[in-house]
């Protein structure tokens, strides 16, 4: 079997383990996300492969939404690990929700390793029509 070697890969792996760059409670690892607007909702999707739904924690406080998740090792203490490249530990991400979003009505679902949040636009931030009376005929102006 032919194997390609990379002398720096092992050095990177050792430094990540030594300095805790895989995500610890003091320094959370990155959590990739996509965010987009769909109609009257903002949709945010987080990639959390291999994370149990029970280990995901969502909090909203003063328009700051915090997502925390933890992925632990899926091998036992007596197992002899040959390669360990998948990040483990605590993952965290904070989103600052503007006043135009309704933080009280956030919906969350988790499927196939993707956490999906739907955050509705607040009613007072939605465009509305205002009727103008007077004159010969009634007119509407978009506000």
């Amino acid at each position: 079997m032919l194997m390609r070697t990379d002398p720096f890969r092992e050095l990177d792996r050792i430094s990540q383990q030594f300095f805790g760059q895989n995500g610890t409670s003091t320094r959370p690892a990155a959590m990739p996300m996509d965010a987009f607007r769909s109609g009257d909702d903002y949709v945010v999707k987080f990639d959390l492969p291999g994370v149990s739904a029970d280990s995901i924690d969502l909090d909203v406080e003063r328009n700051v939404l915090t997502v925390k998740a933890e992925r632990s090792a899926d091998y036992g203490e007596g197992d002899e690990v040959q390669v360990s490249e998948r990040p483990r530990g605590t993952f965290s991400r904070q989103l600052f929700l503007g006043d135009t979003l309704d933080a009280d009505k956030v919906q969350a679902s988790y499927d196939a390793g993707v956490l999906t949040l739907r955050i509705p636009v607040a009613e007072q931030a939605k465009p509305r029509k205002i009727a103008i009376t007077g004159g010969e005929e009634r007119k509407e102006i978009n506000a």
Side-chain angles (χ1 to χ4, degrees):
M1 178 164 81
L2 180 64
M3 293 184 67
R4 188 172 69 178
T5 60
D6 182 0
F8 297 106
R9 174 180 260 182
E10 187 65 15
L11 181 62
D12 286 342
R13 185 188 65 78
I14 292 171
S15 68
Q16 284 177 355
Q17 286 179 344
F18 182 73
F19 294 114
Q21 294 178 0
N22 280 341
T24 63
S25 60
T26 58
R27 184 174 181 268
M31 184 186 306
M33 73 171 202
D34 289 336
F36 55 92
R37 183 167 178 168
S38 177
D40 287 337
D41 292 339
Y42 276 92
V43 179
V44 184
K45 295 186 177 215
F46 296 94
D47 283 347
L48 295 171
V51 172
S52 166
D54 296 337
S55 73
I56 300 172
D57 187 32
L58 294 172
D59 290 318
V60 177
E61 183 179 344
R62 295 186 184 160
N63 285 357
V64 177
L65 181 123
T66 303
V67 180
K68 282 188 180 180
E70 186 172 346
R71 182 184 313 135
S72 57
D74 52 357
Y75 45 81
E77 284 187 31
D79 295 339
E80 184 178 324
V81 179
Q82 302 298 315
V83 177
S84 179
E85 295 179 347
R86 295 171 47 215
R88 289 172 182 75
T90 302
F91 302 87
S92 181
R93 190 84 184 246
Q94 286 188 324
L95 301 176
F96 296 94
L97 307 178
D99 293 333
T100 60
L101 299 178
D102 192 349
D104 293 330
K105 296 182 180 175
V106 176
Q107 297 175 346
S109 63
Y110 185 65
D111 185 39
V114 178
L115 174 65
T116 302
L117 304 179
R118 296 189 77 80
I119 308 165
V121 174
E123 287 297 321
Q124 67 268 18
K126 291 180 183 176
R128 60 192 181 281
K129 295 193 183 234
I130 299 173
I132 297 177
T133 59
E136 298 174 15
E137 60 185 71
R138 190 175 177 150
K139 297 179 184 177
E140 289 187 357
I141 295 178
N142 289 331

